[in-house]
Amino acid sequence: MLTVVGMGPSGLHLMTPAAREAIDHADALAGGARHLQQFPAFGGESFTLGANIPELLGWIAARQERRVVVMASGDPLFYGIGTRLVAHFGAEHVRIIPGISAVQYLCAQAGIDMNEMWLTSSHGRRVCFDELARHHKVAMVTDGLCGPREIAAQLIARGKGYRWMVIGENLAMENEAIHWLPVSEVHNEYAMNAVVILDER
Ligand SMILES: C[S@@+](CC[C@H](N)C(=O)[O-])C[C@H]1O[C@@H](n2cnc3c(N)ncnc32)[C@H](O)[C@@H]1O
């Protein structure tokens, strides 16, 4: 049985009890290095996940009779590995345990409701900035190639420099930082982050 658990933004305390229980009962555990490090006492087989998704698919397929758990950052089905695993193995063969996404956590920390919010990602993908600029309330996960500064430049080019960007860096970690800035003043590089873009503060 394949289970994909949402790990939340960081830290065991932000995982659901269901996710913790699935890992406790796993025969084999896959996930990024930062997630595997959270379970140093795990005694079963493990697989370190990076860009090696084809290898992961083969590793899972070879363990169909085992309790395999894949750890996904945040929520597995919000721009996460869960989508790929459901597409590959079929929804009936994958149990998904949801988690708190980086975007949800940032909204909670910043006191921003998620009503009518448009959700997207620039993590390893191209964003349609014309569409993004049309929305009044946007939240997204990002990556090092297309982060707050690049997103701000695209919005400024579309006359949206007056908007506000809320940048959540290293969320739920010791060095968490949340910055509220007018889009026109977003010039810096930030560590791992999610952002919310608002028409007004
Ligand atoms: C592949 S996406 C996964 C998103 C994840 N499924 C979720 O629900 O948050 C990875 C991106 O999520 C965001 N992210 C994940 N954990 C984060 C954290 N603790 N702090 C800030 N951003 C985070 C970053 O934008 C990172 O590049």
Side-chain angles (χ1 to χ4, degrees), residues 107-127:
C107 287
Q109 292 297 93
I112 299 166
D113 73 62
M114 297 182 69
N115 304 344
E116 314 297 330
M117 190 171 255
W118 192 65
L119 301 175
T120 190
S121 168
S122 66
H123 184 93
R125 57 202 299 279
R126 293 171 75 90
V127 178

Side-chain angles (χ1 to χ4, degrees), residues 9-10 34 73-76 78-80 100-103 123 141-143 168-173 192-194:
S10 185
R34 102 176 145 103
S73 77
D75 182 80
F78 181 62
Y79 297 104
I100 301 171
S101 78
V103 157
H123 184 93
V141 289
T142 72
D143 71 8
E169 243 186 322
N170 293 323
L171 292 165
M173 299 177 183
M192 179 168 66
N193 65 83

